[in-house]
Amino acid sequence: MIFDRIFKLKKTLEPTTNVLQIGSRAVPLLMVHHPRARRYLLRLRPDGTVRVTIPRRGNISAARDFASRNIDWLEQQFHHLTIRPRIPATWNLGEEVYFRGELVRIEPDTDGSIRFGTERLEVYDTQGDLRPAIQKHMRALASEELPLRVMELASHHGINVSRVSVRNQKSRWGSCSRRGTVSLNWRLMQAPGFVRDYIILHELAHRRQMNHSKKFWQEVERLFPDYLQAERWLKQHSNLLR
Ligand SMILES: [Zn+2]
């Protein structure tokens, strides 16, 4: 008898899974009792499940109603989830990576080689994580292409640069030192050409203004009138830096 009661009590506190229809999508709805919650709470988790927290005196049917009433909000959250593609920690065959601003698929080629976009490279093991090999390849491309582009744009605008270095940075796309060294992130190979040019011109503008003052941004705008569009792309793809 006592066991029965404990069992029942436990059962009501366990999360309940249900399905919620959002547009054409059937979404798993996880309902979790939380004795300290003061009201119903709704959250879209990164894995695409919707979680509803049920407060102390709440119940499952009210939780369902709560989720249904907030369908519009959930739909909006889903939209955000899809426009910001999640970058997988490992890169495997069949997955897509950004290359020159486009998502390209990593595909097998002959003799233990792989292809992505216009590139082909040999790898040790096509079944393992391909990220280190692909990154090394992109970094080599960056070391060839980025310094040339810096010199081209610098001479076009009459700005002098003493050195260009291509680096592996996790928090910034580029930088410029007082001595005139422009450092660029190899990940610019993942960005479209106009974004790459914007970063280069942004760093070149620092040769004239070593700050982010109003004058600096006027200089950026003079060198690259569409800079806001490039800034927007960078903001939407900031996860490429991680
Ligand atoms: Zn800057």
Side-chain angles (χ1 to χ4, degrees), residues 77-225:
Q77 297 300 304
F78 257 107
H79 181 67
H80 287 296
L81 203 65
T82 46
I83 57 164
R84 296 202 79 189
R86 294 200 311 134
I87 309 289
T90 60
W91 292 355
N92 299 96
L93 279 184
E95 279 170 356
E96 290 182 319
V97 290
Y98 269 98
F99 183 59
R100 299 193 197 278
E102 278 172 37
L103 274 175
V104 296
R105 197 176 296 281
I106 310 168
E107 290 170 308
D109 205 344
T110 49
D111 310 335
S113 295
I114 56 161
R115 272 182 292 128
F116 66 96
T118 50
E119 306 304 302
R120 178 178 185 274
L121 62 143
E122 273 174 37
V123 293
Y124 176 67
D125 172 18
T126 55
Q127 297 310 307
D129 179 14
L130 301 168
R131 189 173 187 146
I134 294 174
Q135 288 196 349
K136 195 176 161 207
H137 184 80
M138 286 194 197
R139 200 171 167 173
L141 285 176
S143 300
E144 273 171 41
E145 294 179 22
L146 298 178
L148 285 176
R149 189 62 179 152
V150 173
M151 290 311 175
E152 205 170 28
L153 290 170
S155 78
H156 182 77
H157 293 286
I159 297 169
N160 77 6
V161 168
S162 52
R163 207 165 73 85
V164 183
S165 74
V166 172
R167 291 159 68 173
N168 180 29
Q169 293 157 304
K170 288 209 169 136
S171 59
R172 60 210 300 193
W173 292 100
S175 61
C176 179
S177 79
R178 285 187 187 278
R179 290 191 188 143
T181 299
V182 171
S183 300
L184 298 169
N185 196 325
W186 67 263
R187 290 174 179 80
L188 284 172
M189 294 310 298
Q190 296 195 269
F194 79 97
V195 172
R196 176 202 60 195
D197 281 358
Y198 160 67
I199 293 291
I200 293 173
L201 289 165
H202 178 118
E203 301 313 334
L204 291 177
H206 280 311
R207 294 294 290 140
R208 293 181 170 152
Q209 296 288 330
M210 275 313 283
N211 48 50
H212 288 109
S213 62
K214 202 175 166 195
K215 269 190 173 169
F216 166 78
W217 288 109
Q218 281 166 354
E219 182 63 19
V220 168
E221 190 169 11
R222 205 178 62 73
L223 296 173
F224 196 88

Side-chain angles (χ1 to χ4, degrees), residues 50-74:
V50 172
R51 181 193 153 115
V52 194
T53 305
I54 306 174
R56 186 195 279 272
R57 290 200 177 83
N59 60 62
I60 287 184
S61 76
R64 263 202 77 87
D65 286 351
F66 179 72
S68 306
R69 265 183 278 127
N70 289 286
I71 288 280
D72 287 347
W73 179 82
L74 280 170

